[in-house]
């Protein structure tokens, strides 16, 4: 904790100098937000990465505790543009309490707008900290009504089709995500096997999509890799199982 404080305190003279420069040059808040280099000088990134190579070199228990500790700290960090937080909603703003499917293409500076974000957004970004929404009855918990988010699942831009969702708790959700990843791996292997069969037979192959006892319809795959996804059920065309919609 002391080392972290020292790192931040050493940035203070740089921050003050940059603030003075901005004030004297007439550069406004819009530039501070959109020019990541200036954000870096003023604040630096909040996110401290964990070295996966180092984790793999630890005993399982030590690696788990180290990863958990870092993840817990990240959950309460206040992210900024240097960390990649937010999305471009124009005029230098990076956060929105409602979806902006109307903002498509690039802005005047060539940056992708909210509606052209990859992966596609259907809400927010609402805040720059996980704990801002997930805080009841403690960190990692659910959220109160004031932290409800507005979602546009169909990316219609029509408020009549939007839904409001309360922030759920996030205790123990890693197992659900891991399950989704295993199902995704299985579904993609079915697709790849179907392509090999199509090449061997010289004709498109229809394969049933199922993983962990759950059926997702079927796909038809040709030797060239073209996939007919019209018969997929309850799954995106990329075959990725999204337990949390991402």
């Amino acid at each position: 904790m002391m080392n972290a404080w020292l790192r931040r305190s050493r940035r203070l003279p740089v921050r003050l100098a940059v603030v003075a420069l901005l004030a004297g040059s007439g550069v406004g808040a819009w530039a501070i937000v959109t020019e990541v280099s200036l954000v870096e000088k003023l604040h630096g990134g909040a996110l401290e990465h964990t070295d996966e190579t180092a984790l793999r070199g630890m005993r399982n228990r030590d690696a788990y505790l180290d990863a958990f500790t870092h993840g817990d700290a990240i959950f309460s960090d206040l992210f900024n543009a240097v960390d990649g937080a937010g999305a471009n909603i124009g005029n230098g703003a990076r956060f929105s309490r409602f979806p902006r499917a109307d903002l498509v293409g690039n802005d005047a500076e060539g940056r992708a707008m909210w509606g052209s974000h990859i992966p596609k957004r259907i809400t927010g970004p609402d805040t720059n900290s996980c704990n801002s929404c997930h805080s009841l009855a403690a960190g990692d918990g659910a959220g109160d009504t004031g932290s409800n988010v507005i979602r546009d699942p169909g990316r219609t831009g029509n408020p009549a089709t939007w839904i409001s969702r309360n922030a759920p708790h996030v205790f123990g959700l890693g197992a659900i995500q891991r399950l989704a990843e295993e199902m995704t791996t299985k579904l993609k292997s079915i697709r790849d096997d179907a392509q090999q069969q199509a090449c061997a037979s010289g004709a498109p192959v229809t394969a049933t999509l199922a993983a962990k006892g759950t059926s997702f319809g079927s796909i038809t795959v040709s030797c060239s890799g073209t996939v007919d996804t019209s018969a997929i059920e309850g799954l995106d065309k990329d075959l990725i199982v999204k337990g949390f919609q991402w």
Side-chain angles (χ1 to χ4, degrees):
M1 181 66 72
M2 179 60 71
N3 289 337
W5 182 86
L6 287 173
R7 286 198 300 272
R8 293 188 179 95
S9 66
R10 287 170 184 155
R11 292 182 183 143
L12 184 58
V14 176
R15 295 179 187 176
L16 293 177
V18 173
V19 169
L21 175 62
L22 292 175
S25 63
V27 178
W30 183 87
I32 296 175
V33 174
T34 58
E35 295 298 332
V36 177
S37 61
L38 293 182
V39 179
E40 172 67 33
K41 291 178 181 178
L42 287 169
H43 306 287
L47 183 62
E48 293 187 10
H49 293 274
T50 297
D51 188 341
E52 184 173 353
T53 301
L55 290 177
R56 292 181 180 276
M58 300 179 186
R59 294 185 305 169
N60 288 344
R61 175 179 172 78
D62 293 338
Y64 170 80
L65 291 175
D66 190 75
F68 183 90
T69 300
H70 277 80
D72 198 45
I74 288 172
F75 205 81
S76 59
D77 278 339
L78 299 175
F79 300 117
N80 57 41
V82 177
D83 303 306
N88 185 7
I89 59 173
N91 296 323
R94 302 184 69 85
F95 300 93
S96 174
R97 295 298 295 177
F98 53 91
R100 295 301 307 272
D102 58 304
L103 299 176
V104 296
N106 297 334
D107 62 14
E109 303 299 325
R111 294 178 291 259
M113 299 293 286
W114 191 100
S116 299
H117 192 278
I118 299 175
K120 293 181 178 179
R121 301 199 64 92
I122 63 174
T123 188
D126 304 279
T127 180
N128 64 335
S129 172
C130 304
N131 261 348
S132 294
C133 296
H134 302 272
S135 57
L136 295 179
D140 305 338
D144 61 18
T145 55
S147 62
N148 284 2
V149 299
I150 307 300
R151 303 170 70 83
D152 184 8
R155 294 169 57 84
T156 63
N158 179 8
T161 65
W162 294 354
I163 60 175
S164 177
R165 193 208 70 177
N166 183 254
H169 76 80
V170 291
F171 294 116
L173 299 187
I176 296 177
Q177 176 60 22
R178 182 57 183 155
L179 177 64
E181 292 172 358
E182 292 177 356
M183 295 175 74
T184 297
T185 298
K186 175 62 176 179
L187 296 174
K188 289 188 174 182
S189 70
I190 292 174
R191 178 200 60 194
D192 295 342
D193 289 345
Q195 182 180 3
Q196 292 182 6
Q197 294 173 24
C199 291
S201 65
V205 171
T206 297
T208 299
L209 291 174
K212 306 288 186 182
T214 302
S215 176
F216 297 99
S218 64
I219 54 175
T220 299
V221 187
S222 66
C223 181
S224 65
T226 301
V227 182
D228 180 356
T229 59
S230 59
I232 286 181
E233 299 175 356
L235 185 71
D236 287 340
K237 295 179 180 180
D238 57 13
L239 305 186
I240 297 176
V241 178
K242 304 177 178 71
F244 307 105
Q245 297 187 346
W246 47 264

